PDB file of all heavy atoms in Angstrom:
ATOM      1  N   ILE A 605      83.140-144.891 -14.739  1.00 95.00           N
ATOM      2  CA  ILE A 605      81.778-144.456 -14.378  1.00 95.00           C
ATOM      3  C   ILE A 605      81.205-145.347 -13.201  1.00 95.00           C
ATOM      4  O   ILE A 605      81.110-146.459 -13.230  1.00 95.00           O
ATOM      5  CB  ILE A 605      80.926-144.632 -15.698  1.00 95.00           C
ATOM      6  CG1 ILE A 605      81.387-143.940 -17.014  1.00 95.00           C
ATOM      7  CG2 ILE A 605      79.461-144.244 -15.424  1.00 95.00           C
ATOM      8  CD1 ILE A 605      80.565-144.108 -18.212  1.00 95.00           C
ATOM      9  N   HIS A 608      78.991-143.921  -7.017  1.00 88.00           N
ATOM     10  CA  HIS A 608      79.530-143.614  -5.785  1.00 88.00           C
ATOM     11  C   HIS A 608      81.055-143.494  -5.725  1.00 88.00           C
ATOM     12  O   HIS A 608      81.688-144.460  -6.315  1.00 88.00           O
ATOM     13  CB  HIS A 608      79.053-144.577  -4.657  1.00 88.00           C
ATOM     14  CG  HIS A 608      77.624-144.715  -4.550  1.00 88.00           C
ATOM     15  ND1 HIS A 608      76.788-143.636  -4.113  1.00 88.00           N
ATOM     16  CD2 HIS A 608      76.737-145.719  -4.830  1.00 88.00           C
ATOM     17  CE1 HIS A 608      75.530-144.046  -4.199  1.00 88.00           C
ATOM     18  NE2 HIS A 608      75.498-145.251  -4.566  1.00 88.00           N
ATOM     19  N   PRO A 611      84.271-138.415  -1.584  1.00 88.00           N
ATOM     20  CA  PRO A 611      83.984-138.752  -0.207  1.00 88.00           C
ATOM     21  C   PRO A 611      82.727-139.597   0.009  1.00 88.00           C
ATOM     22  O   PRO A 611      82.471-139.824   1.264  1.00 88.00           O
ATOM     23  CB  PRO A 611      83.977-137.411   0.498  1.00 88.00           C
ATOM     24  CG  PRO A 611      83.446-136.463  -0.453  1.00 88.00           C
ATOM     25  CD  PRO A 611      83.936-136.966  -1.767  1.00 88.00           C
ATOM     26  N   ASP A 612      81.931-139.893  -0.916  1.00 85.00           N
ATOM     27  CA  ASP A 612      80.771-140.830  -0.643  1.00 85.00           C
ATOM     28  C   ASP A 612      81.262-142.189  -0.171  1.00 85.00           C
ATOM     29  O   ASP A 612      82.378-142.531  -0.311  1.00 85.00           O
ATOM     30  CB  ASP A 612      80.038-141.008  -1.967  1.00 85.00           C
ATOM     31  CG  ASP A 612      78.525-141.218  -1.752  1.00 85.00           C
ATOM     32  OD1 ASP A 612      78.045-141.268  -0.622  1.00 85.00           O
ATOM     33  OD2 ASP A 612      77.810-141.273  -2.715  1.00 85.00           O
ATOM     34  N   LEU A 620      87.110-148.196  -6.313  1.00 96.00           N
ATOM     35  CA  LEU A 620      87.424-147.451  -7.629  1.00 96.00           C
ATOM     36  C   LEU A 620      88.441-146.334  -7.258  1.00 96.00           C
ATOM     37  O   LEU A 620      89.286-145.948  -8.123  1.00 96.00           O
ATOM     38  CB  LEU A 620      86.175-146.948  -8.224  1.00 96.00           C
ATOM     39  CG  LEU A 620      85.311-148.132  -8.790  1.00 96.00           C
ATOM     40  CD1 LEU A 620      83.989-147.713  -9.206  1.00 96.00           C
ATOM     41  CD2 LEU A 620      85.964-148.792  -9.925  1.00 96.00           C
ATOM     42  N   SER A 645      71.506-140.055   3.149  1.00 54.00           N
ATOM     43  CA  SER A 645      71.042-138.787   3.521  1.00 54.00           C
ATOM     44  C   SER A 645      71.568-138.295   4.945  1.00 54.00           C
ATOM     45  O   SER A 645      71.666-137.189   5.070  1.00 54.00           O
ATOM     46  CB  SER A 645      69.537-138.674   3.426  1.00 54.00           C
ATOM     47  OG  SER A 645      68.893-139.638   4.455  1.00 54.00           O
ATOM     48  N   ARG A 661      81.255-134.409 -11.802  1.00 93.00           N
ATOM     49  CA  ARG A 661      80.161-134.794 -10.810  1.00 93.00           C
ATOM     50  C   ARG A 661      78.896-134.399 -11.435  1.00 93.00           C
ATOM     51  O   ARG A 661      78.685-133.264 -11.965  1.00 93.00           O
ATOM     52  CB  ARG A 661      80.276-134.260  -9.465  1.00 93.00           C
ATOM     53  CG  ARG A 661      81.539-134.774  -8.749  1.00 93.00           C
ATOM     54  CD  ARG A 661      81.283-135.017  -7.268  1.00 93.00           C
ATOM     55  NE  ARG A 661      82.403-135.583  -6.500  1.00 93.00           N
ATOM     56  CZ  ARG A 661      82.487-136.793  -5.954  1.00 93.00           C
ATOM     57  NH1 ARG A 661      81.505-137.591  -6.148  1.00 93.00           N
ATOM     58  NH2 ARG A 661      83.642-137.093  -5.277  1.00 93.00           N
ATOM     59  N   SER A 695      84.982-135.841 -26.785  1.00 94.00           N
ATOM     60  CA  SER A 695      86.141-134.918 -26.655  1.00 94.00           C
ATOM     61  C   SER A 695      87.395-135.443 -26.099  1.00 94.00           C
ATOM     62  O   SER A 695      88.470-134.740 -25.896  1.00 94.00           O
ATOM     63  CB  SER A 695      85.683-133.703 -25.729  1.00 94.00           C
ATOM     64  OG  SER A 695      85.378-134.243 -24.407  1.00 94.00           O
ATOM     65  N   PRO A 706      76.622-152.899  -9.438  1.00 88.00           N
ATOM     66  CA  PRO A 706      75.512-151.993  -9.418  1.00 88.00           C
ATOM     67  C   PRO A 706      75.886-150.547  -9.102  1.00 88.00           C
ATOM     68  O   PRO A 706      77.033-150.327  -8.722  1.00 88.00           O
ATOM     69  CB  PRO A 706      74.549-152.673  -8.360  1.00 88.00           C
ATOM     70  CG  PRO A 706      75.470-153.339  -7.435  1.00 88.00           C
ATOM     71  CD  PRO A 706      76.599-153.726  -8.336  1.00 88.00           C
ATOM     72  N   LYS A 718      79.844-147.918 -26.137  1.00 94.00           N
ATOM     73  CA  LYS A 718      80.636-149.012 -26.644  1.00 94.00           C
ATOM     74  C   LYS A 718      81.557-148.679 -27.836  1.00 94.00           C
ATOM     75  O   LYS A 718      82.785-148.890 -27.889  1.00 94.00           O
ATOM     76  CB  LYS A 718      79.757-150.262 -26.796  1.00 94.00           C
ATOM     77  CG  LYS A 718      80.234-151.308 -27.848  1.00 94.00           C
ATOM     78  CD  LYS A 718      81.333-152.146 -27.164  1.00 94.00           C
ATOM     79  CE  LYS A 718      81.820-153.304 -28.075  1.00 94.00           C
ATOM     80  NZ  LYS A 718      82.865-154.039 -27.401  1.00 94.00           N
ATOM     81  N   LYS A 741      61.936-160.606  -3.735  1.00 80.00           N
ATOM     82  CA  LYS A 741      61.297-159.247  -3.927  1.00 80.00           C
ATOM     83  C   LYS A 741      60.623-159.257  -5.314  1.00 80.00           C
ATOM     84  O   LYS A 741      59.787-158.350  -5.444  1.00 80.00           O
ATOM     85  CB  LYS A 741      62.379-158.201  -3.815  1.00 80.00           C
ATOM     86  CG  LYS A 741      63.067-158.114  -2.595  1.00 80.00           C
ATOM     87  CD  LYS A 741      62.050-157.944  -1.429  1.00 80.00           C
ATOM     88  CE  LYS A 741      62.792-158.122  -0.070  1.00 80.00           C
ATOM     89  NZ  LYS A 741      61.875-158.091   1.106  1.00 80.00           N
ATOM     90  N   ARG A 753      66.557-158.528 -17.524  1.00 92.00           N
ATOM     91  CA  ARG A 753      67.359-159.661 -18.083  1.00 92.00           C
ATOM     92  C   ARG A 753      67.799-159.485 -19.516  1.00 92.00           C
ATOM     93  O   ARG A 753      68.900-159.679 -19.884  1.00 92.00           O
ATOM     94  CB  ARG A 753      66.471-161.007 -18.021  1.00 92.00           C
ATOM     95  CG  ARG A 753      66.287-161.522 -16.750  1.00 92.00           C
ATOM     96  CD  ARG A 753      67.473-162.205 -16.245  1.00 92.00           C
ATOM     97  NE  ARG A 753      67.177-162.925 -14.915  1.00 92.00           N
ATOM     98  CZ  ARG A 753      68.079-163.173 -14.041  1.00 92.00           C
ATOM     99  NH1 ARG A 753      69.292-162.615 -14.119  1.00 92.00           N
ATOM    100  NH2 ARG A 753      67.705-163.749 -12.877  1.00 92.00           N
ATOM    101  N   SER A 803      94.917-150.671  13.298  1.00 95.00           N
ATOM    102  CA  SER A 803      95.982-151.124  14.187  1.00 95.00           C
ATOM    103  C   SER A 803      96.240-150.149  15.395  1.00 95.00           C
ATOM    104  O   SER A 803      96.556-150.397  16.510  1.00 95.00           O
ATOM    105  CB  SER A 803      97.248-151.408  13.455  1.00 95.00           C
ATOM    106  OG  SER A 803      96.964-152.457  12.452  1.00 95.00           O
ATOM    107  N   VAL A 824      79.896-154.772  24.656  1.00 98.00           N
ATOM    108  CA  VAL A 824      79.448-154.216  23.501  1.00 98.00           C
ATOM    109  C   VAL A 824      79.632-155.086  22.284  1.00 98.00           C
ATOM    110  O   VAL A 824      80.715-155.510  21.963  1.00 98.00           O
ATOM    111  CB  VAL A 824      80.079-152.782  23.315  1.00 98.00           C
ATOM    112  CG1 VAL A 824      79.513-152.188  21.924  1.00 98.00           C
ATOM    113  CG2 VAL A 824      79.798-151.779  24.382  1.00 98.00           C
ATOM    114  N   GLN A 835      71.611-157.814   4.287  1.00 95.00           N
ATOM    115  CA  GLN A 835      72.293-158.097   5.543  1.00 95.00           C
ATOM    116  C   GLN A 835      71.256-158.677   6.629  1.00 95.00           C
ATOM    117  O   GLN A 835      71.666-159.334   7.439  1.00 95.00           O
ATOM    118  CB  GLN A 835      72.787-156.862   6.272  1.00 95.00           C
ATOM    119  CG  GLN A 835      74.070-156.284   5.499  1.00 95.00           C
ATOM    120  CD  GLN A 835      73.764-155.580   4.134  1.00 95.00           C
ATOM    121  OE1 GLN A 835      72.841-154.991   4.027  1.00 95.00           O
ATOM    122  NE2 GLN A 835      74.625-155.796   3.253  1.00 95.00           N
ATOM    123  N   ASN A 836      69.979-158.491   6.371  1.00 95.00           N
ATOM    124  CA  ASN A 836      69.000-158.929   7.299  1.00 95.00           C
ATOM    125  C   ASN A 836      69.350-158.913   8.660  1.00 95.00           C
ATOM    126  O   ASN A 836      69.546-159.879   9.408  1.00 95.00           O
ATOM    127  CB  ASN A 836      68.551-160.375   6.940  1.00 95.00           C
ATOM    128  CG  ASN A 836      67.237-160.750   7.621  1.00 95.00           C
ATOM    129  OD1 ASN A 836      66.578-159.980   8.304  1.00 95.00           O
ATOM    130  ND2 ASN A 836      66.911-162.116   7.543  1.00 95.00           N
ATOM    131  N   ASP A 857      73.589-147.039   7.592  1.00 91.00           N
ATOM    132  CA  ASP A 857      72.292-146.688   7.006  1.00 91.00           C
ATOM    133  C   ASP A 857      71.973-147.593   5.832  1.00 91.00           C
ATOM    134  O   ASP A 857      72.859-148.343   5.245  1.00 91.00           O
ATOM    135  CB  ASP A 857      72.307-145.220   6.578  1.00 91.00           C
ATOM    136  CG  ASP A 857      70.870-144.571   6.777  1.00 91.00           C
ATOM    137  OD1 ASP A 857      69.850-145.245   6.726  1.00 91.00           O
ATOM    138  OD2 ASP A 857      70.834-143.270   6.920  1.00 91.00           O
ATOM    139  N   ARG A 943      81.294-169.003  13.989  1.00 97.00           N
ATOM    140  CA  ARG A 943      80.416-169.048  12.803  1.00 97.00           C
ATOM    141  C   ARG A 943      79.101-169.522  13.192  1.00 97.00           C
ATOM    142  O   ARG A 943      78.873-170.565  13.951  1.00 97.00           O
ATOM    143  CB  ARG A 943      81.036-170.062  11.719  1.00 97.00           C
ATOM    144  CG  ARG A 943      80.337-169.946  10.474  1.00 97.00           C
ATOM    145  CD  ARG A 943      81.086-170.959   9.487  1.00 97.00           C
ATOM    146  NE  ARG A 943      80.272-171.054   8.180  1.00 97.00           N
ATOM    147  CZ  ARG A 943      80.942-171.815   7.168  1.00 97.00           C
ATOM    148  NH1 ARG A 943      82.059-172.478   7.384  1.00 97.00           N
ATOM    149  NH2 ARG A 943      80.291-171.844   6.092  1.00 97.00           N
ATOM    150  N   VAL A 971      93.798-161.617  17.569  1.00 92.00           N
ATOM    151  CA  VAL A 971      94.990-160.972  17.384  1.00 92.00           C
ATOM    152  C   VAL A 971      95.977-161.679  16.493  1.00 92.00           C
ATOM    153  O   VAL A 971      96.649-161.225  15.620  1.00 92.00           O
ATOM    154  CB  VAL A 971      95.579-160.618  18.774  1.00 92.00           C
ATOM    155  CG1 VAL A 971      97.038-160.084  18.576  1.00 92.00           C
ATOM    156  CG2 VAL A 971      94.680-159.652  19.561  1.00 92.00           C
ATOM    157  N   VAL A 977      94.792-162.345   6.399  1.00 89.00           N
ATOM    158  CA  VAL A 977      94.118-161.250   5.538  1.00 89.00           C
ATOM    159  C   VAL A 977      95.243-160.353   5.010  1.00 89.00           C
ATOM    160  O   VAL A 977      95.260-159.953   3.882  1.00 89.00           O
ATOM    161  CB  VAL A 977      93.094-160.504   6.326  1.00 89.00           C
ATOM    162  CG1 VAL A 977      92.667-159.235   5.560  1.00 89.00           C
ATOM    163  CG2 VAL A 977      91.924-161.433   6.474  1.00 89.00           C
ATOM    164  N   LEU A 997      95.232-155.478 -21.877  1.00 96.00           N
ATOM    165  CA  LEU A 997      94.001-155.284 -22.750  1.00 96.00           C
ATOM    166  C   LEU A 997      94.254-154.105 -23.693  1.00 96.00           C
ATOM    167  O   LEU A 997      94.029-154.285 -24.902  1.00 96.00           O
ATOM    168  CB  LEU A 997      92.821-154.987 -21.890  1.00 96.00           C
ATOM    169  CG  LEU A 997      91.514-154.726 -22.554  1.00 96.00           C
ATOM    170  CD1 LEU A 997      91.096-155.933 -23.342  1.00 96.00           C
ATOM    171  CD2 LEU A 997      90.325-154.230 -21.549  1.00 96.00           C
TER     172      LEU A 997
END
Side-chain angles (χ1 to χ4, degrees):
I605 302 178
H608 303 294
D612 213 351
L620 293 168
S645 58
R661 295 221 182 245
S695 58
K718 162 72 175 176
K741 300 304 174 185
R753 288 291 184 206
S803 300
V824 177
Q835 287 73 39
N836 192 6
D857 213 334
R943 183 177 179 179
V971 172
V977 169
L997 176 63

